[in-house]
């Protein structure tokens, strides 16, 4: 008997899946692959139920002969193992990033005369409703908050991008690329103090108050499901910081990063060009400990950011602080640098990892931007934050458009570069 293979990467079974099984049965014995959590976060969205629950859910379906694990998004390994006569899938994979997966399958099957079967995708009201329900679930505080910790265990390196509005949130949420044989997307979002302030036309000196920062988080949360890392600047007074921790935790934010500076905070990328005061180890540890003592879940993370390299205080100072902050309860360490080369960051990570293999390390490669995620991961880094690139790409584009309109006294010249009106009015889906 011939075999028909399909891969499911879903948290619930709807009519669309049942239809695929029904169609598949016409061709032979049905084998279903369940996509691993690791692959699912890159391809689709974070699974809201565990892998074993998803596996059992599919095992129980009628008409299924065998259920297997598909470890990777691309089908090379699974096809080599199963050698199916057919691979069946909804025809929605002919468009968008999923096209790369279909091409991969076609190529693999062609090698031995296998065939792809495209089944018309089931666009029913019920399918749409169930899909929206899963997505909504992921946006709820109790699901979103814990996701950063889950991702740290699942991903070789967690990739976060800066967001400062609903619109940038949507870019972080929805951008997926198909790079040859690979699909990828961002895992998390960074609410940067620099970009949140810049969007409001204000300097990055803790001037935008916490209520306004929360408002930004809320705008982002309304339209996204991915976890949020909040740039908490210095954390403010310890007496205020504890309230911030409580609020963020309640909102469903996954982590706050606070930096060991005191007094008037200036952006780190100014380095020693401006006066910046580093906090004492003892005082900063007290702040971390107070935050940890007040939080109510095990899921929320307080990450301590070390400014020693920025302020040219040396590697030993950075390492001493890292150890002290971890002992005070920090759930992670962020080490920052404004050097063009990543050497001091990598040296720090290598030395830190000699005595601490567990505490997550976060880096922000804004100035040392040539280093790849793979290299960072090889040095034990767990989270990479692209802290300001969306703001920096939008500003010159907007400025050029303003200049063009002033130069030509009309909008035609600028318009050629712009998103079509039809696209902008339909960019945001209505409920
Ligand atoms: C931010 O994005 O606001 C940061 C990172 O704190 S940096 O600007 O590099 O200091
Ligand atoms: Mg900042």
């Amino acid at each position: 008997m011939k075999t028909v293979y399909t891969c499911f990467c879903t948290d619930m079974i709807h009519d669309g899946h049942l239809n695929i099984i029904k169609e598949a049965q016409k061709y032979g014995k049905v084998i279903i692959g369940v996509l691993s959590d690791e692959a699912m976060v890159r391809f689709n969205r974070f699974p809201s139920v565990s892998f074993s629950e998803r596996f059992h859910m599919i095992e129980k379906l009628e008409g299924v002969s065998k259920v297997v694990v598909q470890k990777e998004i691309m089908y090379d390994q699974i096809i080599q193992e199963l050698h199916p006569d057919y691979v069946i899938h909804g025809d929605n994979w002919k468009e968008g990033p999923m096209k790369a997966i279909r091409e991969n399958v076609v190529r693999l099957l062609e090698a031995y005369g296998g065939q792809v079967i495209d089944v018309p995708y089931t666009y029913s009201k019920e399918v749409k409703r169930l899909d929206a329900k899963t997505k909504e679930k992921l946006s709820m505080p109790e699901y979103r908050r814990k996701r950063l910790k889950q991702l740290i265990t699942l991903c070789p390196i967690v990739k976060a991008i800066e967001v400062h509005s609903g619109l940038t949130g949507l870019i972080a949420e929805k951008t997926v690329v198909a790079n040859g044989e690979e699909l990828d997307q961002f895992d998390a979002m960074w609410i940067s103090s620099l970009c949140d302030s810049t969007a409001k036309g204000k300097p990055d000196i803790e001037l935008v108050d916490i209520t306004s920062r929360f408002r930004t988080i809320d705008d982002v949360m309304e339209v996204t499901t991915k976890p949020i890392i909040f740039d908490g600047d210095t954390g403010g007074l310890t007496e205020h910081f504890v309230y911030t921790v409580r609020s963020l935790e309640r909102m469903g934010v996954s982590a706050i990063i606070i930096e060991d500076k005191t007094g008037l905070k200036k952006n780190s990328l100014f380095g020693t060009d401006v006066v910046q005061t580093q906090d004492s180890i003892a005082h900063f540890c007290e702040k971390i400990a107070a935050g940890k003592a007040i939080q109510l879940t095990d899921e929320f993370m307080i990450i301590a950011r070390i400014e020693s390299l920025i302020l040219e205080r040396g590697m030993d100072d950075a390492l001493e602080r890292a150890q002290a902050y971890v002992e005070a309860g920090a759930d992670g360490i962020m080490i920052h640098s404004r050097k063009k080369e990543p050497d001091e960051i990598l040296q720090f990570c290598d030395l830190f990892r000699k005595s601490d293999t567990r505490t997550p390390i976060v880096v922000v490669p804004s100035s040392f931007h040539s280093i790849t995620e793979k290299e960072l991961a090889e040095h034990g880094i767990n989270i990479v934050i692209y802290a300001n690139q969306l703001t920096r790409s939008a500003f010159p584009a907007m400025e050029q458009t303003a200049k063009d309109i002033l130069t030509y006294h009309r909008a035609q010249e600028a318009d050629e570069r712009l998103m079509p009106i039809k696209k902008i009015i339909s960019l945001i889906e209505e409920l």
Side-chain angles (χ1 to χ4, degrees), residues 74-94:
M74 293 301 172
Y75 283 52
D76 299 63
Q77 201 186 340
I78 199 81
I79 286 191
Q80 199 185 355
E81 272 169 36
L82 300 173
H83 230 69
D85 298 290
Y86 302 97
V87 170
I88 190 165
H89 198 284
D91 63 0
N92 57 326
W93 74 342
K94 286 182 165 177

Side-chain angles (χ1 to χ4, degrees), residues 190 193-194 204 231 233 259 265 267 305:
W190 164 245
S193 68
L194 171 65
D204 181 19
D231 177 357
D233 289 315
E259 57 195 275
K265 191 220 77 156
N267 185 275
R305 163 170 167 178

Side-chain angles (χ1 to χ4, degrees), residues 129-158:
R129 192 186 70 79
L130 287 170
D131 193 53
K133 204 171 141 191
T134 318
K135 191 167 164 244
E136 277 308 307
K137 190 172 161 188
L138 289 175
S139 72
M140 293 296 169
E142 63 273 31
Y143 288 100
R144 196 194 299 243
R145 194 193 300 116
K146 63 183 171 197
R147 203 150 332 121
L148 187 64
K149 279 199 169 173
Q150 293 173 317
L151 282 163
I152 290 171
T153 64
L154 281 176
C155 304
I157 187 161
V158 174

